[in-house]
Amino acid sequence: QEHEKPPAVANGELRVNGKGKKLRKPRTIYSSLQLQALNQRFQQTQYLALPERAELAAQLGLTQTQVKIWFQNKRSKYKKIMKQG
């Protein structure tokens, strides 16, 4: 018997493999222009309101979730650096 596995990611949806582990989406690679804009905005404010996030995501060609998570990660890194020094 041949068993064909369905693709891990189909139509942007995550699939679960046979062992019940969820497969992650591939890591987002941000362009240098996107990073520059995100860092610039982060220097202005560490928190974005929903409309600001939607606008920034549209400008940069990212999803709102990608922008939200980038800001979350950046705040976390920033707090860690501030704690150290």
Side-chain angles (χ1 to χ4, degrees):
Q1 291 179 349
E2 276 191 43
H3 294 286
E4 283 192 37
K5 290 183 179 179
V9 179
N11 302 324
E13 293 179 15
L14 293 179
R15 296 285 181 225
V16 177
N17 68 16
K19 296 180 183 176
K21 289 185 180 179
K22 280 190 178 180
L23 297 174
R24 291 180 167 195
K25 286 188 178 180
R27 186 175 164 156
T28 303
I29 307 299
Y30 298 96
S31 73
S32 56
L33 283 173
Q34 289 170 330
L35 287 172
Q36 188 179 356
L38 288 163
N39 279 308
Q40 200 171 28
R41 194 56 166 290
F42 186 80
Q43 287 176 358
Q44 294 170 4
T45 179
Q46 291 185 14
Y47 292 87
L48 293 178
L50 265 161
E52 294 172 322
R53 188 172 76 202
E55 183 183 345
L56 185 59
Q59 285 174 358
L60 299 177
L62 298 168
T63 66
Q64 289 188 45
T65 302
Q66 287 171 321
V67 172
K68 179 184 79 171
I69 290 172
W70 187 90
F71 267 78
Q72 286 174 342
N73 290 339
K74 185 72 173 180
R75 282 193 300 268
S76 177
K77 288 176 191 173
Y78 181 77
K79 286 176 186 174
K80 189 177 178 182
I81 289 167
M82 289 295 114
K83 200 175 181 181
Q84 288 175 351

